[in-house]
Amino acid sequence: QRQMCIRDRFWDSLVDVSMNPASQIERVALLSDAQVLTESFRSAGGQLISQQEAANEQMVDFVREANGLIANVAELNEKVMQTMAGQGNLNDIMDKRTDAVNRLAELINFTVMESVDGSISLFLADGTPVVMGMDSWLLKLAVDENNASFYNVSVAGPNNTRAPLSGGRIAALLDVRDSVIGGPEGYLQQLDDFVSLFASTVNQIHRDGYDAYQGTGRDFFVRSERQMREEMSGLLDRER
């Protein structure tokens, strides 16, 4: 709503200048409103990037929590097998393992298989195991090739395959980071497309008009040297 009001004010100022092009007051007002508008676009992009980074950081915390639970389930499997052989309180250990499995299910989606020895195995969507009896394979964080600030999640082990996370909080955060905010159809790209179209539309109108010296063909919105340096830096980061 605020963004729309800022755009409306800019358009109103543009109309005022077109109606009274010789007025210095109208020109100054237009430049001021244009500055507010560009800052609002920049602020919106910054907020989206901050939300994207926050999703990445929370995902990292959840991966660490999931790894603790995966290891705990494997440890409790060992205790269940020992208890079924006549050592300890089975119900108490089973309750602890159920609690760990339920907490893990909030973070990642998996299938549970129970063995005759009382142990359970946990498999991801494609059959990749994270727990089999007393053995466990933890989730591993690896730097994203396209963005050094982000992490991808894989399963530690001989194959080191990318974890097929189809549900749970970790997958939801990855989706927010890479598809809802990032990605070719995410909010960041939508904002970039809108700003580009908006600037090109205004520039086309401006090029058809005349400045105070009867000159024509000039753009209203232009990229600053700082913006071009930041864009080039971003490209280099993605290539590393």
Side-chain angles (χ1 to χ4, degrees):
Q1 186 67 32
R2 180 175 178 273
Q3 180 70 248
M4 187 176 297
C5 290
I6 292 173
R7 291 201 304 270
D8 288 345
R9 192 163 64 239
F10 170 79
W11 284 119
D12 289 343
S13 294
L14 194 62
V15 170
D16 289 342
V17 169
S18 69
M19 299 293 291
N20 191 9
S23 171
Q24 186 67 17
I25 294 176
E26 306 291 2
R27 288 173 176 271
V28 170
L30 174 60
L31 290 175
S32 176
D33 289 338
Q35 183 65 37
V36 172
L37 181 62
T38 55
E39 287 298 328
S40 72
F41 286 145
R42 190 174 294 112
S43 175
Q47 289 174 17
L48 287 172
I49 291 172
S50 294
Q51 292 171 9
Q52 196 179 32
E53 291 172 345
N56 184 71
E57 291 172 4
Q58 190 171 21
M59 181 272 296
V60 170
D61 290 339
F62 281 162
V63 165
R64 290 169 179 158
E65 182 181 350
N67 282 339
L69 292 168
I70 289 170
N72 188 223
V73 170
E75 291 171 2
L76 290 169
N77 269 343
E78 182 178 11
K79 291 181 180 180
V80 166
M81 289 186 286
Q82 292 173 345
T83 303
M84 290 186 71
Q87 308 171 28
N89 186 333
L90 180 61
N91 288 335
D92 182 55
I93 298 172
M94 295 281 278
D95 287 344
K96 289 180 179 179
R97 189 178 68 180
T98 298
D99 179 64
V101 169
N102 289 338
R103 288 165 58 197
L104 182 61
E106 295 178 2
L107 302 175
I108 60 175
N109 191 30
F110 53 83
T111 300
V112 181
M113 293 187 64
E114 187 170 357
S115 301
V116 292
D117 59 9
S119 68
I120 60 173
S121 297
L122 309 181
F123 299 92
L124 299 180
D126 68 342
T128 300
V130 290
V131 175
M132 290 184 69
M134 295 181 291
D135 296 322
S136 63
W137 293 266
L138 303 182
L139 303 180
K140 181 180 178 181
L141 294 168
V143 175
D144 192 306
E145 294 180 356
N146 297 317
N147 190 326
S149 299
F150 292 161
Y151 292 96
N152 289 323
V153 184
S154 60
V155 179
N159 296 328
N160 194 31
T161 57
R162 184 160 182 172
L165 302 177
S166 57
R169 293 179 178 175
I170 293 175
L173 287 169
L174 286 170
D175 184 60
V176 167
R177 188 195 73 184
D178 298 336
S179 299
V180 177
I181 298 177
E185 298 181 1
Y187 289 143
L188 275 171
Q189 187 61 53
Q190 291 178 38
L191 177 63
D192 186 65
D193 291 343
F194 174 79
V195 172
S196 178
L197 178 61
F198 183 88
S200 64
T201 301
V202 173
N203 283 343
Q204 183 59 55
I205 295 171
H206 195 260
R207 282 195 295 269
D208 291 340
Y210 295 89
D211 61 22
Y213 305 99
Q214 298 303 304
T216 188
R218 298 182 63 180
D219 287 339
F220 185 86
F221 289 112
V222 294
R223 276 188 167 86
S224 67
E225 290 186 7
R226 187 189 71 176
Q227 287 174 310
M228 289 188 286
R229 285 197 300 269
E230 289 175 350
E231 290 175 3
M232 182 59 69
S233 176
L235 287 172
L236 291 174
D237 285 342
R238 289 194 290 272
E239 290 175 356
R240 291 192 182 107

